[in-house]
Amino acid sequence: MHPVLARKGETVLLMGNEAVARGALESGICLAAAYPGTPSTEIVETLSEVAKDLKIWVEWSVNEKVAFETAYAAAISGVKSLTAMKHVGLNVAADILMSSAYAGVKAGFVIVSADDPGHHSSQNEQDNRWYGFISHIPVVEPSSPREAYCFTKESFKLSEKYGHPVILRTTTRLSHTRQPVTLEEDLPASPVCKGVFEKAIDRWVLVPGHAKKLKIKLLEIWKKIQYDTSEPFAKIINPGMKDVIIASGIAYSHVEEALRIAGLESKVTILKVNMPVPVPRKPVEEVLRSAERVLIVEELDPVVEKQVKSISKELGLACEIYGKEYIPENDELSLQVVYNGICRFSGKCDPVVWESIGELKLEPPIPPRPPVLCPGCPHRSSYYIVKTALNKAGVRKVIFTGDIGCYTLGFQKPFETQMTSFEMGGAIGVAHGLSKVVDEAIVAVVGDSTFYHAGIPGVINLVFNKGRAIPMILDNSVTAMTGHQPHPGTGVTAVGEPTVRILPEDILRAIGFETFVINPLKVKDSISVLAKALEEFKDGKNIAIISRARCALEVLRDARKTKTVLPVYKVDPGKCTGCLACVNLSACPALVVEPYSRKPVIIEELCAGCGLCASICPFNAISVAKTPTQDWEKLW
């Protein structure tokens, strides 16, 4: 049985994201929609795994805006719902986010924003608590997986109480940490899954005349939330001390441990803030009135700090308030950073080097390893093919605009096929803009899931506004980077049911592109096809390239399941001259250079059988070492 289906009273080990899913299920949601994005993915992935058992609707939408709109539609019809996304995904959904605060909801509605301090898997580390201010939507922030479970339920209660959306802010560390969670309730036997949309033009139609009235109501709700909420959204520990520490989210967990190590648990008052936007006013006022010095510990921006300073000034208090003087404004917090910040603030302990308070020291230290494309990744062959074809067609000084996904690693040598990477879908829009101001040929590289997410408006704009760029869709038939979720090109839904398969080439042809579909495993044939396609591009035609082969990780998994033998390659040392073309042009992790002969060898356990190295070798020194099963190529 799936752990999120366990019974009341059982203790289960849950990842933070799984804990959010369980909390949402206990709250009675009947619809969840999201677009996969680390660190949020496992929330809806977990829900999709139990959706059929619970008879609820769960989907991977084409992007975060559509996911938000889908879940919000349920909430305004009286059906509890959830939408989840990584922090930058909320940028995509920001338009409907702002409007949802004006119109409100008729059932509990929670928006999970999974932030990424430290840039673990993101292009920025924006602090999405700010969205709470500009939208007037409260932000709830747990400090552990156990709290993620509890506060998801509290967020739904808060949403229902005020008829208002609520943002649940998590972070990478919280999302992916596991903790035993004792379940407080059984799952509802029959959640409300059928709603009624009641016509209310003055509420649901946000023309200026209606919005002006709704804004007044919105501000009233905002003030009530600020003044009416205390427990469980704030908790005062050890009240009455002159030194006060205010902490929110995962920062509180670091504070708790740091104070224990420093022996200061009983010497400071702690205000644990579980709703950083807006901070609950009454408990903040209570601790400030008895404080002389205050330290605010939070991850990333001074969101709580600015509010506390504002409240202190309003009250005319003389306490000294510190925050970013001691706690950095960038990167993920650690116990060492928080411990040393508290020591400098309090003057009652000495900052220390990390090893002396228990870090595991490895000897020798693990060397840094930059991320690389997996062995057998079809993107590696796609990049080699397109660069070779461009050269063969005489197209020089090419600009490659890039996008967000595994294929972003194409910025590395030897490929250098990602010269920009800003946001999802940005490759095509940037390519269009460049085509208006530079003379070089431009190739816009975008993945298949990203194409559906935000690339389609870009290619339409490219054609409509007469841009000159080549969209190149790297189609591995899955949302690979976030864990192999389905998308409109896979032909299956989030719960594995068959559905319409929408191919990129059909969309591209419909808007005026001549499309060329290649198989990157067929290196020489693909180079020949693209060389001809590029001649047409030089003649003024709009062309698009689709390079289609499944993700190597899925192929290897299916090969194990079906007992299919994939080809494994070997280097013949007698034929090999040591030119290292295979190594230098493919950068495949399965290829290593033997230290004495300075010739390449192939690590059999890593080889996925794509054959790119054999296609590259100018001396035919690479051949199949293990005969594959007949029809092995069908797995790709």
Side-chain angles (χ1 to χ4, degrees):
M1 183 174 69
H2 199 290
V4 300
L5 296 179
R7 305 276 305 185
K8 174 183 177 181
E10 292 185 49
T11 299
V12 288
L13 184 65
L14 296 180
M15 182 191 296
N17 282 339
E18 293 172 327
V20 171
R22 171 69 191 210
L25 290 172
E26 284 189 21
S27 298
I29 67 160
C30 201
L31 188 147
Y35 180 82
T38 305
S40 70
T41 304
E42 294 85 3
I43 297 170
V44 166
E45 199 165 65
T46 299
L47 293 171
S48 73
E49 291 167 357
V50 300
K52 286 186 176 180
D53 294 330
L54 300 177
K55 296 181 174 57
I56 64 174
W57 181 258
V58 178
E59 74 175 42
W60 291 118
S61 306
V62 293
N63 66 25
E64 295 85 357
K65 177 178 183 290
V66 175
F68 193 117
E69 291 160 346
T70 300
Y72 182 61
I76 67 174
S77 302
V79 175
K80 291 181 184 179
S81 62
L82 174 143
T83 187
M85 57 205 70
K86 67 183 294 175
H87 60 305
V88 291
L90 197 52
N91 299 337
V92 180
D95 201 350
I96 179 65
L97 173 77
M98 303 302 159
S99 294
S100 72
Y102 276 67
V105 295
K106 302 196 76 176
F109 178 51
V110 172
I111 306 129
V112 182
S113 171
D115 289 9
D116 191 19
H119 306 85
H120 292 284
S121 59
S122 310
Q123 65 268 39
N124 70 38
E125 57 174 8
Q126 71 189 45
D127 189 332
N128 274 8
R129 292 177 297 170
W130 293 116
Y131 268 119
F133 288 113
I134 59 175
S135 64
H136 292 91
I137 293 176
V139 179
V140 175
E141 186 176 25
S143 65
S144 66
R146 193 175 294 132
E147 284 194 351
Y149 161 68
C150 295
F151 287 161
T152 298
K153 296 192 291 182
E154 293 297 336
S155 296
F156 274 102
K157 291 176 185 176
L158 185 65
S159 176
E160 297 252 296
K161 179 179 180 180
Y162 291 103
H164 203 66
V166 173
I167 295 172
L168 181 72
R169 188 228 192 185
T170 63
T171 60
T172 300
R173 185 175 293 266
L174 175 65
S175 297
H176 294 158
T177 297
R178 295 183 185 274
Q179 185 179 34
V181 176
T182 301
L183 302 177
E184 299 171 339
E185 303 171 63
D186 280 324
L187 298 180
S190 53
V192 176
C193 291
K194 282 294 179 185
V196 176
F197 177 74
E198 296 179 353
K199 182 178 176 181
I201 299 298
D202 58 347
R203 181 175 182 182
W204 308 130
V205 181
L206 294 183
V207 295
H210 298 161
K212 287 178 181 179
K213 296 176 183 177
L214 291 171
K215 178 66 180 290
I216 295 170
K217 183 180 177 182
L218 167 61
L219 294 176
E220 290 174 354
I221 291 173
W222 183 251
K223 193 169 184 179
K224 285 180 181 178
I225 291 172
Q226 187 177 13
Y227 280 91
D228 290 356
T229 50
S230 182
E231 289 276 6
F233 298 111
K235 182 179 180 181
I236 300 173
I237 303 166
N238 198 25
M241 298 293 165
K242 300 300 182 184
D243 281 356
V244 173
I245 296 178
I246 300 176
S248 68
I250 199 73
Y252 169 77
S253 298
H254 293 310
V255 166
E256 186 180 41
E257 189 170 358
L259 289 173
R260 178 180 54 79
I261 292 169
L264 298 175
E265 310 106 298
S266 62
K267 297 177 181 177
V268 296
T269 292
I270 304 171
L271 174 58
K272 184 179 186 297
V273 174
N274 302 320
M275 189 173 71
V277 178
V279 292
R281 180 85 181 211
K282 291 177 182 177
V284 171
E285 289 184 4
E286 182 179 338
V287 297
L288 289 181
R289 290 186 190 280
S290 60
E292 291 181 357
R293 300 174 75 247
V294 178
L295 174 65
I296 296 159
V297 184
E298 55 188 323
E299 205 160 48
L300 296 182
D301 297 347
V303 173
V304 174
E305 181 182 340
K306 287 182 180 296
Q307 294 177 83
V308 172
K309 286 180 175 177
S310 176
I311 293 170
S312 178
K313 186 175 181 180
E314 283 180 35
L315 297 174
L317 301 176
C319 56
E320 299 174 4
I321 300 174
Y322 302 94
K324 294 309 172 185
E325 296 91 342
Y326 297 105
I327 304 297
E329 198 166 352
N330 67 299
D331 213 347
E332 185 178 39
L333 290 183
S334 67
L335 176 57
Q336 180 184 15
V337 168
V338 173
Y339 177 88
N340 288 340
I342 289 173
C343 287
R344 289 193 296 269
F345 164 75
S346 68
K348 297 175 182 176
C349 56
D350 294 322
V352 295
V353 293
W354 183 243
E355 287 82 359
S356 65
I357 55 173
E359 184 189 62
L360 177 64
K361 190 173 183 180
L362 299 174
E363 291 292 349
I366 298 173
R369 184 185 76 89
V372 295
L373 295 171
C374 301
C377 176
H379 302 333
R380 179 178 285 107
S381 297
S382 299
Y383 289 146
Y384 175 79
I385 289 164
V386 71
K387 291 195 79 172
T388 304
L390 285 161
N391 187 56
K392 190 173 182 180
V395 182
R396 306 283 190 260
K397 296 182 179 179
V398 181
I399 297 173
F400 289 89
T401 57
D403 226 295
I404 307 296
C406 303
Y407 51 89
T408 309
L409 295 174
F411 79 87
Q412 297 169 326
K413 292 182 182 297
F415 310 114
E416 298 179 290
T417 49
Q418 301 273 293
M419 297 171 185
T420 66
S421 180
F422 300 117
E423 91 285 11
M424 293 193 71
I428 299 168
V430 171
H432 170 69
L434 285 172
S435 75
K436 297 299 183 182
V437 297
V438 302
D439 295 326
E440 292 90 342
I442 303 160
V443 178
V445 182
V446 62
D448 45 342
S449 184
T450 304
F451 176 74
Y452 300 112
H453 175 282
I456 294 172
V459 291
I460 292 173
N461 186 70
L462 184 67
V463 173
F464 173 70
N465 282 307
K466 299 183 179 181
R468 289 289 294 155
I470 303 170
M472 181 174 178
I473 318 299
L474 302 182
D475 185 356
N476 53 19
S477 301
V478 75
T479 312
M481 187 178 184
T482 54
H484 303 98
Q485 293 79 24
H487 59 58
T490 61
V492 294
T493 66
V495 296
E497 294 176 345
T499 185
V500 175
R501 187 182 182 194
I502 303 166
L503 296 174
E505 56 266 36
D506 293 338
I507 296 170
L508 289 161
R509 288 191 196 110
I511 59 175
F513 283 95
E514 187 170 348
T515 60
F516 296 86
V517 182
I518 62 170
N519 177 354
L521 271 65
K522 306 288 186 182
V523 175
K524 293 180 181 176
D525 290 346
S526 296
I527 291 171
S528 178
V529 169
L530 291 195
K532 292 177 183 176
L534 290 165
E535 291 298 331
E536 297 195 24
F537 177 73
K538 288 161 68 177
D539 289 339
K541 293 184 179 178
N542 289 320
I543 72 162
I545 302 165
I546 297 94
S547 181
R548 178 171 292 131
R550 293 180 71 211
C551 172
L553 296 180
E554 288 212 305
V555 171
L556 291 168
R557 181 196 63 195
D558 289 351
R560 286 192 295 270
K561 285 182 178 178
T562 60
K563 294 182 169 47
T564 300
V565 178
L566 300 174
V568 172
Y569 285 81
K570 65 178 179 181
V571 179
D572 184 338
K575 291 182 180 180
C576 178
T577 66
C579 72
L580 300 184
C582 57
V583 174
N584 294 330
L585 295 178
S586 76
C588 179
L591 275 164
V592 297
V593 179
E594 210 279 330
Y596 300 107
S597 68
R598 302 301 299 164
K599 291 184 178 182
V601 294
I602 295 173
I603 302 172
E604 181 177 331
E605 292 78 11
L606 292 181
C607 180
C610 70
L612 176 60
C613 57
S615 299
I616 290 172
C617 181
F619 301 102
N620 296 318
I622 300 178
S623 59
V624 175
K626 183 189 291 185
T627 304
T629 305
Q630 188 177 6
D631 295 333
W632 65 271
E633 290 185 36
K634 288 183 179 179
L635 287 183
W636 287 93

